[in-house]
Amino acid sequence: SIYEMFGNECCLSTGEVIKVIGFKINKLVASISENNEVSRCSTKVELPLNFPGLYKVVADKTPYVSIEEITRKVFIGPTRFGHPCFYSPEDIKLSSLTIKHGEQITFNSVEEINGTMTVNCGVVRNNQCHSFTLPLSQEGKFYECEDDQIYTLKEIAEWKISKCRNRTVKLSSTLHTWDSSNPLPENFDGCLVLTPVYEVQAVMKFRKDIVRILSDLDIEVKDITDCYDINSFLQPLSLEDVFERTSKEFPMVAEIMERPPGNQKPYNLLYTGKEIVIYKKFQATRVLASEIRSDFPKRHFLIPMSYKGKFKRRPREFPTAYDLEIARTEKEQLHVVATKAFDSPHEELFSVSVGDQFLVQQSQTSEVLYEGRKKLIDVLACEQILRDTYKKVLIPMYMEGGFVEVIHDKKQYQLSEICKEFCLPFNVKVSVRDLSIEEDVLAAVPGLKFEEEITDSYLLISSANSPVECWEIPVYRLNMSVHLLSKYVQTVVPPVTKTTVEEISEEQYYMVRRYENQTLHPPPRPPKKP
């Protein structure tokens, strides 16, 4: 008989035929290391994949001995995580160029060229990428490069733990306050050596769900792949698999095999066994917004452009004069109040007092006396607002103080209007909630900071039995499996799309900001001294 405990199969009957569809890390055993070394007496704790925190991976000091070993043990693929980097301690001479020892080599993809399996690689020299291929037969020592990115534990488990190896990580940010239920020591800042515990994912002949079998289950199996019709099994597809299908294959009918976690609408309506119509795949724009509050944690949202609520502006805060220059626009004059005093070290420049009000004009350069010599520095030209007049003043661009915006605009804006007329980030509050949403979560938030626009991948779906409304579901943030049904789609034209504001976790927020807009970096701040 088959029975289940904690979501895993614990017993399989003799003669049961199963089709293994994949292997996945179920949990991690972490050995706590204070000095990057693990001894027999090191404390070990079990960590679930959703354990909070952001981590930096420590480069593996054990080399790989060939390109073939790397492709066998390391994830290489088209996704944003699938481009590992290595270096060789020796020069590698190729027909087109020579890879110097210690030079970072990025592995992009694996493909067959003229009957030879190769890896498409690249090196960056003088801001230019040089592409080349390495055959899997290439031998030598290849070491993992240092990685300055931060990852969630789930990302590390899925992409950054090589097969048959452990992974050492260092905690970068906890994201949550420590409490007694946390298995890690309070104020822990050492390293964790992660050992993966795998589960086998399989399908059975007469079951429509995905069976999960822990890798330490004591059973004997026999490989009958060559003498069995594997097409008689259901073929589970992830949302990524569905998204990779060609546009001509849509619309399609599917049955949910594994429902997404959580009770957030519409995910709570997507239960196991439900039949859905997937109308199309597409890219959509969302506005990433965060709750304005001084304490932690903040809530984060992805707002669709179809949101029908209205917003009023809220004052922005600027920590430096340089931030005023970034926020300044030609459309309207920026009016601010100083919240922190600043004494200028130069007679030519203005000293700011708390409560001073300014109209920001433009950036320019000014000549000041510095260490006995005249020097040009960047300044911000402003008009100080006095009781019945204005005074032209110059504030050093490097000034660290504090300013709060004075809002004169009382207009109510649609989301699309804000994105068109203003530069993000932008502070707002909901003045009129979206009446088409049963419970508008944004209306209860006292203030929102629109951070940036992002473009993400979505599937448009509806219920197959009663297609009254459609939902846009994210491809890369929703863990859901389906299998396709050979049913005719009765309604080719999708029904009305329901507006959904997606609330995302702290980890998802960091992932969206880090990967969706890697090219949008603010310019560097000016030096604090001229």
Side-chain angles (χ1 to χ4, degrees):
S1 63
I2 303 170
Y3 66 90
E4 188 180 22
M5 183 179 294
F6 303 118
N8 298 293
E9 305 301 324
C10 302
C11 181
L12 297 170
S13 60
T14 302
E16 186 72 52
V17 179
I18 62 174
K19 177 185 175 183
V20 176
I21 60 173
F23 301 89
K24 190 176 182 181
I25 295 176
N26 175 268
K27 60 184 175 182
L28 296 164
V29 176
S31 300
I32 297 176
S33 168
E34 297 290 348
N35 54 2
N36 294 358
E37 294 183 2
V38 178
S39 62
R40 290 184 178 179
C41 58
S42 296
T43 303
K44 293 184 178 182
V45 296
E46 286 190 2
L47 298 179
L49 299 188
N50 61 354
F51 186 75
L54 295 171
Y55 305 82
K56 292 192 71 171
V57 299
V58 178
D60 195 341
K61 295 180 181 179
T62 304
Y64 295 83
V65 297
S66 67
I67 300 298
E68 186 273 335
E69 184 188 8
I70 293 176
T71 60
R72 191 162 32 88
K73 294 183 177 180
V74 180
F75 295 101
I76 301 172
T79 64
R80 55 198 174 201
F81 295 105
H83 304 302
C85 297
F86 297 87
Y87 70 90
S88 170
E90 305 289 337
D91 289 355
I92 302 175
K93 294 184 179 180
L94 305 172
S95 57
S96 57
L97 77 164
T98 298
I99 308 303
K100 299 176 184 177
H101 63 275
E103 193 167 19
Q104 179 172 299
I105 307 169
T106 302
F107 287 48
N108 295 314
S109 62
V110 181
E111 68 173 325
E112 184 178 346
I113 300 178
N114 299 327
T116 303
M117 295 302 296
T118 62
V119 178
N120 293 316
C121 303
V123 293
V124 177
R125 295 173 179 172
N126 298 322
N127 294 324
Q128 287 190 334
C129 183
H130 301 268
S131 299
F132 58 94
T133 60
L134 289 175
L136 266 60
S137 58
Q138 179 82 39
E139 295 184 343
K141 290 184 177 180
F142 296 92
Y143 291 88
E144 195 175 46
C145 293
E146 294 289 341
D147 188 346
D148 60 356
Q149 291 284 348
I150 54 175
Y151 303 93
T152 64
L153 213 56
K154 186 173 184 291
E155 290 171 346
I156 291 171
E158 291 177 349
W159 297 98
K160 295 297 176 181
I161 298 183
S162 303
K163 293 176 183 176
C164 306
R165 295 198 181 195
N166 298 331
R167 168 60 77 189
T168 302
V169 300
K170 185 172 179 62
L171 186 62
S172 174
S173 172
T174 59
L175 297 183
H176 294 276
T177 54
W178 187 91
D179 58 38
S180 57
S181 64
N182 193 323
L184 301 180
E186 188 173 4
N187 300 321
F188 175 74
D189 63 351
C191 290
L192 300 173
V193 180
L194 305 177
T195 302
V197 177
Y198 289 91
E199 68 179 18
V200 178
Q201 296 177 319
V203 290
M204 293 184 175
K205 188 88 172 184
F206 302 106
R207 293 181 60 170
K208 290 187 175 182
D209 58 343
I210 296 175
V211 177
R212 304 177 184 282
I213 308 168
L214 288 179
S215 56
D216 57 358
L217 186 64
D218 188 15
I219 57 172
E220 292 183 1
V221 295
K222 182 180 179 180
D223 186 359
I224 58 171
T225 306
D226 296 334
C227 57
Y228 200 87
D229 180 18
I230 60 174
N231 293 323
S232 62
F233 287 92
L234 297 177
Q235 179 60 48
L237 298 173
S238 66
L239 295 185
E240 291 94 326
D241 296 330
V242 175
F243 193 81
E244 288 173 4
R245 300 244 165 172
T246 62
S247 298
K248 294 180 180 179
E249 297 179 70
F250 295 88
M252 58 182 70
V253 182
E255 182 179 343
I256 298 173
M257 296 185 68
E258 185 177 41
R259 62 153 295 170
N263 296 317
Q264 186 178 344
K265 287 187 177 181
Y267 310 144
N268 59 339
L269 305 175
L270 303 176
Y271 51 84
T272 300
K274 184 183 180 71
E275 293 185 8
I276 59 173
V277 178
I278 306 175
Y279 291 96
K280 65 177 181 176
K281 64 175 184 177
F282 61 100
Q283 299 283 316
T285 300
R286 294 289 187 269
V287 172
L288 177 63
S290 295
E291 182 181 17
I292 298 175
R293 58 186 298 174
S294 56
D295 55 344
F296 191 85
K298 298 178 181 178
R299 298 169 71 187
H300 306 284
F301 307 92
L302 288 173
I303 310 173
M305 288 300 177
S306 59
Y307 180 81
K308 299 179 181 64
K310 291 187 177 182
F311 302 92
K312 279 189 175 181
R313 298 173 62 173
R314 280 200 56 175
R316 291 171 287 178
E317 295 183 2
F318 307 99
T320 70
Y322 183 64
D323 294 293
L324 296 177
E325 166 59 18
I326 295 175
R328 183 180 63 85
T329 64
E330 298 296 332
K331 183 182 175 183
E332 64 175 355
Q333 199 154 38
L334 184 59
H335 178 189
V336 296
V337 178
T339 57
K340 187 177 179 182
F342 170 77
D343 291 325
S344 172
H346 312 290
E347 292 183 359
E348 302 89 343
L349 304 181
F350 189 70
S351 292
V352 177
S353 301
V354 174
D356 285 349
Q357 296 191 44
F358 302 95
L359 296 177
V360 179
Q361 301 294 327
Q362 62 188 20
S363 61
Q364 61 186 61
T365 57
S366 178
E367 195 175 70
V368 298
L369 197 63
Y370 180 68
E371 294 181 348
R373 295 182 178 182
K374 290 185 177 180
K375 191 168 185 177
L376 283 176
I377 67 168
D378 293 325
V379 296
L380 189 65
C382 301
E383 286 186 343
Q384 184 189 10
I385 302 175
L386 301 176
R387 181 172 297 178
D388 53 2
T389 185
Y390 297 92
K391 177 183 177 183
K392 294 186 179 295
V393 296
L394 298 177
I395 299 173
M397 199 71 82
Y398 63 81
M399 168 192 165
E400 286 195 4
F403 301 92
V404 172
E405 182 179 21
V406 178
I407 300 293
H408 301 283
D409 183 3
K410 305 299 182 184
K411 181 182 174 182
Q412 297 184 110
Y413 291 91
Q414 298 277 3
L415 182 61
S416 57
E417 292 178 313
I418 292 175
C419 294
K420 183 179 179 181
E421 297 181 22
F422 301 99
C423 295
L424 304 186
F426 198 75
N427 292 358
V428 297
K429 66 176 179 179
V430 175
S431 56
V432 178
R433 73 179 187 88
D434 187 342
L435 298 176
S436 69
I437 303 177
E438 185 176 332
E439 184 180 350
D440 187 351
V441 293
L442 300 182
V445 180
L448 288 166
K449 180 179 182 181
F450 290 169
E451 301 201 35
E452 60 182 309
E453 290 184 55
I454 69 161
T455 302
D456 210 351
S457 303
Y458 289 86
L459 295 172
L460 185 66
I461 71 165
S462 75
S463 171
N465 298 327
S466 54
V468 179
E469 57 188 20
C470 276
W471 310 293
E472 298 174 348
I473 60 172
V475 173
Y476 296 108
R477 285 187 303 279
L478 203 62
N479 186 21
M480 186 173 89
S481 297
V482 301
H483 74 93
L484 301 183
L485 302 175
S486 17
K487 285 188 176 182
Y488 175 71
V489 180
Q490 296 180 350
T491 308
V492 178
V493 179
V496 177
T497 302
K498 190 80 170 177
T499 298
T500 304
V501 176
E502 183 185 356
E503 183 166 358
I504 58 176
S505 67
E506 194 80 15
E507 288 87 350
Q508 289 173 329
Y509 165 79
Y510 279 100
M511 188 174 74
V512 167
R513 295 226 68 183
R514 190 175 52 206
Y515 294 110
E516 301 298 344
N517 283 291
Q518 295 188 70
T519 57
L520 296 180
H521 293 297
R525 294 190 186 278
K528 293 183 179 181
K529 293 183 179 180

